[in-house]
Amino acid sequence: GCEKGPATGGEDFSDASQPDHARPAFMFDVGAGDPAKVAEAKKTGALLPSLHSSKFLPVPEPTIRTGLVAMTSVALELLKK
């Protein structure tokens, strides 16, 4: 797995929550890049297109499957509590 620390992004996702945490929120990132292109970028230091770029090209099937399984697992675990 790949763990990321806190990030300052331009998303307005935090608006879904409330300052007093009365309605908690969590943003879930799922990697979507072609593994070969990611590996090549790591070797060369090249930057990959970001999410909002017109050149962003996710690999649909494993990305959607991974996101669906991961988010469903989190939801089921939270619903146990």
Side-chain angles (χ1 to χ4, degrees):
C2 177
E3 291 186 27
K4 292 172 49 175
T8 57
E11 301 295 336
D12 59 359
F13 178 80
S14 62
D15 291 345
S17 187
Q18 293 176 337
D20 66 355
H21 301 288
R23 183 177 52 225
F26 177 79
M27 187 165 171
F28 200 102
D29 288 339
V30 177
D34 180 335
K37 290 181 181 179
V38 172
E40 183 64 24
K42 283 183 179 180
K43 283 185 359 188
T44 65
L47 295 176
L48 293 169
S50 65
L51 177 64
H52 299 292
S53 166
S54 63
K55 293 178 172 62
F56 180 67
L57 185 60
V59 182
E61 198 285 329
T63 300
I64 294 169
R65 178 180 303 279
T66 300
L68 181 64
V69 169
M71 290 182 191
T72 301
S73 297
V74 169
L76 290 172
E77 188 63 31
L78 288 171
L79 288 171
K80 286 182 186 178
K81 296 180 179 182

